[in-house]
Amino acid sequence: MKQSREGLLLVVSGPAGVGKGSIDGILLERHRNMRLSVSATTRSPRPGEIDGVHYFFIDEERFRQMIAENAFLEYMQVFNMHYYGTPRAYVEQELRAGHDVLLEIDVQGAMRVKESYPDAVLVFVAPPSMSALKERLIGRNTETPEQIEKRFATAYQEVRCMNRYDYIVVNDVLDVAVRRMEHIINAEKCRASRNQAIINEFAGGKDEI
Ligand code: 5GP
């Protein structure tokens, strides 16, 4: 009898600069069964970002067309300017194939996913402190000071929503944070509700206790 092989839908959120990308990158390297959902966005690529790898960079017209086609699992307008959305087809196809699927999306998006997929596991990556987060954002050197201020203000709103998640992982030391994620994934795979096949197998046994 095998432990659950059902694909796990893992939703990871956290403020910009908290290190979600680094954690997810290591998880994807270590777990061959895991897939990253690439979101679509109308924002411009940052230096080094590749279309189809970090995001599908599309224009607003195409984004609106995809909304009309119900092609998003969830979508959101972030910072009152750009759209971000999770293409539905890829996620559903990979889950059906038994792969774990990782979504790196914002708080509102995570809540929407939980509504349509109650089995999804929501993890919030928290910084060790708000001052540590600010240092990381400045050190990243990819945004203007105004953008950093804006992101930091958003970060304050985001951390206030962490109580709505299933798990909180503090990213103090990267390796430790990755291990915490792995423990969550392993525990979720052992959840009774995800192991109906085992339950059925033993329920069919004739032996009395
Ligand atoms: P960034 O512009 O830094 O790549 O992302 C900005 C925010 O948008 C982050 O909080 C990120 O998690 C979120 N985000 C990225 N893709 C999606 C998506 O498909 N849906 C939603 N709701 N948020 C997303």
Side-chain angles (χ1 to χ4, degrees), residues 14-15 18 107 124-127 130 133 152-163 168:
V18 79
V107 174
F124 191 92
V125 181
M130 287 312 278
L133 180 69
F152 198 61
T154 307
Y156 260 114
Q157 292 168 7
E158 285 169 331
V159 294
R160 276 196 234 116
C161 297
M162 67 170 92
N163 60 321
I168 294 168

Side-chain angles (χ1 to χ4, degrees), residues 42-55:
T42 57
R43 83 151 163 77
S44 325
R46 295 197 194 105
E49 283 184 334
I50 301 162
D51 186 41
V53 175
H54 298 92
Y55 283 105

Side-chain angles (χ1 to χ4, degrees), residues 139-177:
R140 201 156 83 154
N141 234 345
T142 51
E143 282 113 347
T144 64
E146 299 88 74
Q147 282 171 327
I148 289 175
E149 278 313 314
K150 214 168 184 180
R151 284 188 173 246
F152 198 61
T154 307
Y156 260 114
Q157 292 168 7
E158 285 169 331
V159 294
R160 276 196 234 116
C161 297
M162 67 170 92
N163 60 321
R164 290 150 78 180
Y165 281 70
D166 299 312
Y167 297 93
I168 294 168
V169 166
V170 175
N171 186 16
D172 37 14
V173 177
L174 182 59
D175 282 351
V176 179

Side-chain angles (χ1 to χ4, degrees), residues 15-18 127-138 152 155 159:
V18 79
S129 67
M130 287 312 278
S131 53
L133 180 69
K134 194 159 200 176
E135 273 168 35
R136 278 191 215 173
L137 265 180
I138 294 167
F152 198 61
V159 294

